[in-house]
Amino acid sequence: MTESAGTPADPDDSAAGEDQTPDGSPGAAPGEKPAPENASEDIPASTPGGETRSGSGNGPGGGSGSGSDSGPSDGPSPEGPRSGPTLDITVKRKRHWLRWTALGASFVVLVAAGAGWWLYKKLDGNIKTDTSAAAELKAYEKERPPSVVHNAENILLIGSDSRAGDNRKYGRDDGGSQRSDTTILLHLAANRKSATAMSIPRDLMANIPACHKADKTASRPQFAQFNGAFEFGGTACTIRTVEKMTGVRIDHYMVVDFNGFKDMVDAVDGVEICLKEPIDDSAAHLKLKAGRQKLNGEQALGYVRVRKSIGNGSDTERMDRQQQFLGALVNKVQSNGVLLNPTRLYPVLDAATKALTTDPGLDTLKDLYDLVRGMRNVPTDKVQFLTVPRQPYSANRNRDELVQPDADRLFKQLRDDKPLTVVPADQLNGDDGKNTDHGESSEHSQDEDSNGRSGEPTDGESGATGAPGPSPTPTYSGNNAATDLCKQ
């Protein structure tokens, strides 16, 4: 009986002699041309009648003497998939496609990396470095206070009121002289669970040390208005004045420009505030209605700088507005996910870096990123704003002086990285707070008992249960970044 050419050889035939082919069929006769290696493959051929034949030769009808009609095909050959030229072409095409995919992905990665590097260098190049102040501080290192708590950081933020360059439209350019319009000591707790921003009034009377001026001459030590330190000796003189006043070591500093502040507000698409009464101040280029509204950068700058046309016209009220606005700005940045959204973060970083002049320790984008990263998990209700305890200066009611011992107690809390609490001024007024002639609630500490005794408990003092307890947290008037200005 003749086997079909596509039928597998019987396993027992493996021991056949050399006169058999591997599939068990008779070998070629002597002198006869051997059959091709793939002659035994089942190659279907279509007959005129649509019938499929299988064969191993080229004879008429598609068969040879060693093959026979097998009738209609019932499925794939038992020998499995073919490994002919078609399969080779498919594999080559697949490999070709994979290579191009890999090349395309590599190109995209390289382009993204190049764009990222370009953006990084651009932002990094925006930051201006003040090396002269660093050199001046180094010369006076021996008289500066030491750092007390490891990892706690104290950063002095200075808002310059220079009218030179692009800022001339906000006032007269007096030859490039400048004073610190706003000065804030930002204390970051070592555990990065809280941040405290303490404003220092520009009208506060302070002991200003001898400082080197821009023309290399030296100013004399004097008891003068605080913001004069920036005019006399720039950033270094302001830092030394703050350190002399508070005993707090300043680790870093940033000088912020007007236009940079405006651009930052615009980069976050404005900041929402609430006004109890309308504002119409032509000098500040500001006209706002009462109630809830969102300020753009130009309006925001006018709002934090306007003074005489709002409230009692005091610098105290202006500092309160500045603190409230900064709190609203921090809340806007955190609540809208700006820090986690690259497309929204870049404009903010671009505006911020253009606005900054820093010390050499904060003059790279990486330095600023590390600083912001350390603060991003601080709850907004733990980002606190307050003003140094002050009252009208006895010799000039238009100037301020420190209220003691409240001021020294506050400075010690910051210096030692100890907690403190801020509450709205009206809450302190209702809690036996002392009123100043500014119409403000004077900062006081809750470590005064009902008999008026002040000071922290000693080891021999006890609490309500008679057992020694920790000293109460000092409380001062202020606000935090979680405060809704429209609900006050």
Side-chain angles (χ1 to χ4, degrees):
M1 182 174 181
T2 304
E3 289 183 352
S4 173
T7 305
D10 189 88
D12 293 340
D13 292 337
S14 61
E18 293 181 355
D19 59 340
Q20 289 187 343
T21 60
D23 63 354
S25 59
E32 185 179 350
K33 185 177 179 179
E37 291 182 2
N38 60 351
S40 62
E41 286 188 1
D42 190 14
I43 304 176
S46 179
T47 64
E51 205 174 41
T52 302
R53 292 177 179 273
S54 63
S56 59
N58 302 334
S64 67
S66 62
S68 63
D69 292 346
S70 60
S73 175
D74 294 327
S77 169
E79 290 182 355
R82 306 185 269 129
S83 58
T86 303
L87 182 60
D88 291 340
I89 293 173
T90 302
V91 171
K92 288 180 180 179
R93 286 178 177 174
K94 185 174 182 181
R95 289 175 179 172
H96 186 68
W97 180 83
L98 289 174
R99 279 197 298 269
W100 275 106
T101 301
L103 288 173
S106 300
F107 178 75
V108 171
V109 170
L110 288 174
V111 170
W117 177 248
W118 181 84
L119 292 176
Y120 178 89
K121 295 300 291 183
K122 181 179 184 299
L123 294 174
D124 198 58
N126 287 342
I127 307 169
K128 297 174 284 294
T129 308
D130 182 5
T131 56
S132 60
E136 177 82 356
L137 292 173
K138 187 175 181 179
Y140 290 94
E141 179 62 36
K142 291 184 179 179
E143 69 178 42
R144 299 182 64 193
S147 296
V148 177
V149 180
H150 181 63
N151 284 337
E153 283 193 285
N154 298 294
I155 303 170
L156 197 65
L157 308 177
I158 302 172
S160 168
D161 69 348
S162 171
R163 299 304 197 273
D166 293 337
N167 293 332
R168 63 170 55 94
K169 72 177 182 178
Y170 298 106
R172 177 175 56 86
D173 182 1
D174 53 2
S177 67
Q178 55 186 354
R179 295 194 178 189
S180 52
D181 187 66
T182 301
T183 304
I184 297 175
L185 174 57
L186 175 63
H187 173 76
L188 305 180
N191 61 10
R192 295 300 190 269
K193 292 184 178 180
S194 67
T196 302
M198 182 189 75
S199 294
I200 302 176
R202 66 179 187 175
D203 295 336
L204 182 70
M205 299 303 294
N207 288 303
I208 301 176
C211 299
H212 287 105
K213 300 180 180 179
D215 60 3
K216 306 303 181 183
T217 61
S219 65
R220 60 180 177 81
Q222 55 194 296
F223 184 68
Q225 194 172 318
F226 171 74
N227 68 340
F230 197 66
E231 181 183 16
F232 299 149
T235 304
C237 193
T238 301
I239 290 174
R240 292 175 58 212
T241 301
V242 172
E243 291 183 339
K244 188 177 183 67
M245 178 194 306
T246 65
V248 175
R249 171 80 176 211
I250 304 300
D251 301 300
H252 299 289
Y253 60 86
M254 299 180 186
V255 180
V256 184
D257 179 73
F258 280 167
N259 284 292
F261 174 81
K262 291 193 308 179
D263 293 341
M264 286 179 63
V265 174
D266 286 332
V268 297
D269 193 29
V271 175
E272 192 175 75
I273 64 167
C274 272
L275 297 176
K276 295 180 180 178
E277 56 186 35
I279 301 175
D280 189 355
D281 191 309
S282 57
H285 308 285
L286 187 65
K287 188 172 183 179
L288 301 172
K289 60 184 180 180
R292 185 186 294 269
Q293 56 198 293
K294 185 168 69 173
L295 304 187
N296 61 29
E298 188 74 28
Q299 294 170 321
L301 180 59
Y303 177 72
V304 299
R305 300 200 71 251
V306 67
R307 177 173 178 177
K308 296 181 179 179
S309 61
I310 302 181
N312 60 16
S314 69
D315 194 46
T316 298
E317 284 196 350
R318 185 176 70 156
M319 284 187 297
D320 289 344
R321 287 193 301 275
Q322 291 174 349
Q323 293 170 4
Q324 292 169 358
F325 186 87
L326 289 175
L329 177 59
V330 170
N331 194 29
K332 177 70 176 288
V333 171
Q334 288 198 356
S335 63
N336 283 18
V338 173
L339 296 178
L340 300 178
N341 187 335
T343 58
R344 302 191 63 186
L345 178 60
Y346 176 78
V348 177
L349 289 177
D350 189 41
T353 51
K354 286 179 179 177
L356 295 179
T357 299
T358 75
D359 65 276
L362 276 183
D363 65 345
T364 69
L365 191 61
K366 180 182 182 303
D367 294 329
L368 293 176
Y369 173 76
D370 290 341
L371 178 66
V372 173
R373 183 179 60 180
M375 293 182 59
R376 67 184 179 184
N377 293 325
V378 178
T380 52
D381 64 336
K382 292 300 182 181
V383 180
Q384 303 180 123
F385 299 86
L386 74 160
T387 302
V388 61
R390 80 283 180 203
Q391 63 188 8
Y393 178 43
S394 57
N396 184 345
R397 308 292 291 181
N398 294 319
R399 300 291 179 262
D400 288 334
E401 65 181 1
L402 295 176
V403 174
Q404 296 295 3
D406 292 344
D408 284 344
R409 185 179 296 117
L410 171 59
F411 301 152
K412 188 176 189 306
Q413 292 295 115
L414 297 177
R415 188 167 56 245
D416 295 341
D417 196 30
K418 297 293 181 63
L420 56 88
T421 302
V422 299
V423 296
D426 55 358
Q427 292 187 25
L428 284 183
N429 280 330
D431 188 24
D432 297 328
K434 294 176 290 185
N435 293 321
T436 68
D437 292 339
H438 284 208
E440 300 291 322
S441 171
S442 173
E443 292 75 12
H444 75 287
S445 173
Q446 286 186 342
D447 55 7
E448 293 182 1
D449 62 22
S450 58
N451 294 322
R453 294 180 302 174
S454 63
E456 298 181 0
T458 63
D459 292 339
E461 292 180 323
S462 62
T465 61
S471 59
T473 301
T475 302
Y476 302 89
S477 69
N479 64 84
N480 60 61
T483 302
D484 187 341
L485 301 182
C486 294
K487 294 182 179 179
Q488 287 188 317

